[in-house]
Amino acid sequence: MRADGHPGDGTVDMADENQQDEPVTFRDRRKIDPETGEARLSEDATASGAAAEAAPDGAGADPVAGPADGADPEIEKLTTEVAERTADLQRVTAEYANYRRRADRDREDAKLAAKVSFLSDLLVVLDDFERAEQHGDLTGAFKSAADKVTGVATGLGLEAFGAEGEPFDPQLHEAVQHEPAEGSGPTVTVLSAVLRRGYRIADRILRPAMVTVQDRPEAEAPEAAAAQPDGSGEDGSAPA
């Protein structure tokens, strides 16, 4: 044996020889490339990228899962909900339209009721104006004021009715006196005198007209009047 501890027979230790022959490798684990300054990918990411490039098209992608029978229950559920929401919206729209119609009708009825109440109280004033006019007292400033009041009433829709010679209508006229007919044969009942004028607004009768009626003979037919334009008799002779 030699002084350094090795056998003195000149043999070489095989372990030391293998350690001397094995090359030494260094791995650069820096995350930033010192030359380019860009971030480096990890070894796992590099390996997975390489495997993806080496794999054939479509081999690494998972197929999209779909319904086996072609009917997606989620789509059917959404379709049902849309139909229900549409029906609810249509019902709400119809209810709102009905509400607007009722509100408009109630508003018009309230306006008409207010007009009826006001004009009903004004009728006695209009009667005074009419009596003053019949007696010739409606003149000057009094007539001007009366005309303005009458114009306001007419603008609100007040309408007077009842005149001599009109046919009698029990729904519009109140007969307080009846006069018999002067002739014989078919007669028609007409107004012979108007004691108090009637008034109405829209389709409401504020008060009927107080009148005197008379049964008058019906007017001569137009054909008969045309056959005797000069007033001669049926035989062409002049009347006595």
Side-chain angles (χ1 to χ4, degrees), residues 79-90:
T79 303
T80 303
E81 291 181 356
V82 169
E84 292 177 355
R85 299 298 181 271
T86 303
D88 293 341
L89 179 60
Q90 292 176 349

Side-chain angles (χ1 to χ4, degrees), residues 115-192:
K115 291 180 181 180
V116 169
S117 177
F118 171 72
L119 294 174
S120 297
D121 295 337
L122 193 64
L123 294 184
V124 292
V125 179
L126 298 179
D127 292 340
D128 292 340
F129 291 158
E130 186 175 1
R131 283 192 291 268
E133 184 179 9
Q134 292 174 355
H135 290 82
D137 298 333
L138 192 62
T139 58
F142 184 35
K143 185 178 186 310
S144 178
D147 292 341
K148 290 180 180 179
V149 174
T150 304
V152 171
T154 304
L156 292 176
L158 185 65
E159 181 183 357
F161 62 88
E164 296 182 5
E166 290 182 358
F168 174 74
D169 187 349
Q171 295 182 352
L172 301 177
H173 308 132
E174 179 183 356
V176 295
Q177 185 176 355
H178 182 271
E179 297 177 358
E182 296 179 356
S184 60
T187 59
V188 59
T189 303
V190 296
L191 309 183
S192 59

Side-chain angles (χ1 to χ4, degrees), residues 18-114:
N18 291 337
Q19 291 178 356
Q20 295 176 359
D21 294 341
E22 183 177 358
V24 178
T25 59
F26 296 93
R27 295 183 179 179
D28 189 358
R29 298 183 179 275
R30 290 177 294 183
K31 296 182 178 181
I32 303 299
D33 193 338
E35 296 181 358
T36 62
E38 298 179 355
R40 292 178 175 176
L41 297 176
S42 62
E43 294 180 357
D44 296 339
T46 305
S48 61
E53 293 178 357
D57 296 340
D62 295 335
V64 178
D69 55 353
D72 191 347
E74 187 67 21
I75 295 179
E76 293 181 353
K77 179 181 178 181
L78 293 176
T79 303
T80 303
E81 291 181 356
V82 169
E84 292 177 355
R85 299 298 181 271
T86 303
D88 293 341
L89 179 60
Q90 292 176 349
R91 182 172 61 256
V92 171
T93 302
E95 292 177 354
Y96 179 68
N98 293 333
Y99 165 76
R100 287 190 59 184
R101 284 194 292 267
R102 289 195 302 271
D104 294 341
R105 183 173 61 251
D106 294 342
R107 183 166 55 251
E108 293 299 327
D109 291 344
K111 290 172 59 177
L112 181 59

